[in-house]
Amino acid sequence: MALPVLHALEDCADFSQAVTPFLPQLYALPARVLGVLAGRESLLQLYTETNPLISGFAISVFLGAVFLVVAEINRNYSQVDRAWSLLPTLYIAHFDAWARLAGLPSQRIDAALLFSAIWSTRLTYNYWRKGGYGVGHEDYRWEIIRQQVPKAVFHVFNWTFISFIQSILLFMIAAPVYTILLASTIEPNLTSADIASVAIELGLILTEYIADEQQWAYQSAKKQYKDSAKVPRGFKQADLDRGFITSGLWGYSRHPNFAAEQSIWFFLYQWSCYASKTLYNWAGVGPSFLTLLFQGSTWLTELITAGKYPEYRDYQQSVGMFAPAGFSVYKAPAAAVKAAPRVIRTSDLAKKLQQKEKQKKPKQK
């Protein structure tokens, strides 16, 4: 049997019943894969006879090894980053395909796959337009970490966290769908709670989309301002000179897109709790670790940003990192508005260059 025989919804979230009995399949999987390669059994047979949680976890471990090898060969450590927006949805699609092949109800998993596919499409596009899939592109934070630790330590960091742990994490944030799959064997029909859950997920994706669009518009305007010394329509010079966005959703949260991202996967876990009629369950490990990961990566990002822009520390004190610190929008300190900038503005440099060029023209004649 590839699935446990359960009689109560609460059992679907019980690790000892839903997961433990199938751990031996994980240990036996390498030998069975070799059997498929040798032609002793079919791949479809292996797939349907293996518990979907076990096979999904095994795939994440295998991909971790792929990410490790590619990263070490290319000396580029953003391999997982390139797959980040795709893998959770592929894992949910895996649960959906397995249920269909096993002849199990899949309506509730279809609903989860719907929101996840939309999430993947949006996030993949956003990563692409920022150049994430360009040849040689790498998250700038990896280079900073490489400079701060010994080479051997960084390689160990890649062998563990960057390649394997992150790969497994991308499976674990999708793992709550396994609980929903089990619950569907007892309560197969799509419920109003499932529809409400999808609506909430779509609302969170919309929030993340709005935040990213606001950030993209600001960064595009800042680049245009830097290149031409002209303030684009809809923006103020003081805002662009500040160097970071503080308007829209960013006036209430320093990272509204990150807040929405964490909420998306935490709510999927809550959906699995509701489906299994439990207050909490083992599937919370994934979204919990994701939250810890965002805490660390955001801390590093802000440390870098605060070193570049003097006003950022005031922004940190006034605006919450993820959740709003209050109902009022961020306002720049009066001293920051009146005082002259501590560094030469990009616009001033551009204007000086233009003046020099004008002065040179008569001489050239």
Side-chain angles (χ1 to χ4, degrees), residues 30-43 46:
R32 294 197 65 183
V33 170
L34 291 175
V36 171
L37 296 175
R40 291 193 295 270
E41 66 175 313
S42 69
L43 180 61
L46 173 61

Side-chain angles (χ1 to χ4, degrees), residues 5-26:
V5 178
L6 305 172
H7 303 286
L9 288 173
E10 293 79 1
D11 296 338
C12 300
D14 185 347
F15 189 87
S16 64
Q17 297 186 62
V19 181
T20 303
F22 303 98
L23 293 178
Q25 290 188 350
L26 180 63

Side-chain angles (χ1 to χ4, degrees), residues 105-109 111 180 183-195 271 275:
S106 63
Q107 290 183 358
R108 304 174 82 180
I109 312 172
I180 297 174
S184 296
T185 63
I186 300 173
E187 199 172 78
N189 296 324
L190 196 67
T191 67
S192 57
D194 297 322
I195 297 174
W271 184 357

Side-chain angles (χ1 to χ4, degrees), residues 284-352:
V285 172
S288 296
F289 191 84
L290 180 69
T291 300
L292 293 176
L293 175 60
F294 267 98
Q295 289 289 337
S297 64
T298 305
W299 170 82
L300 178 59
T301 300
E302 292 204 331
L303 185 65
I304 298 169
T305 305
K308 293 169 61 178
Y309 308 114
E311 192 183 326
Y312 197 79
R313 296 194 184 279
D314 294 318
Y315 180 59
Q316 287 176 304
Q317 294 175 359
S318 303
V319 179
M321 179 182 286
F322 299 123
F327 295 103
S328 58
V329 70
Y330 172 76
K331 293 182 179 179
V337 175
K338 295 178 180 179
R342 300 179 187 176
V343 295
I344 299 174
R345 293 176 179 174
T346 306
S347 59
D348 293 336
L349 289 174
K351 289 176 181 177
K352 288 181 180 179

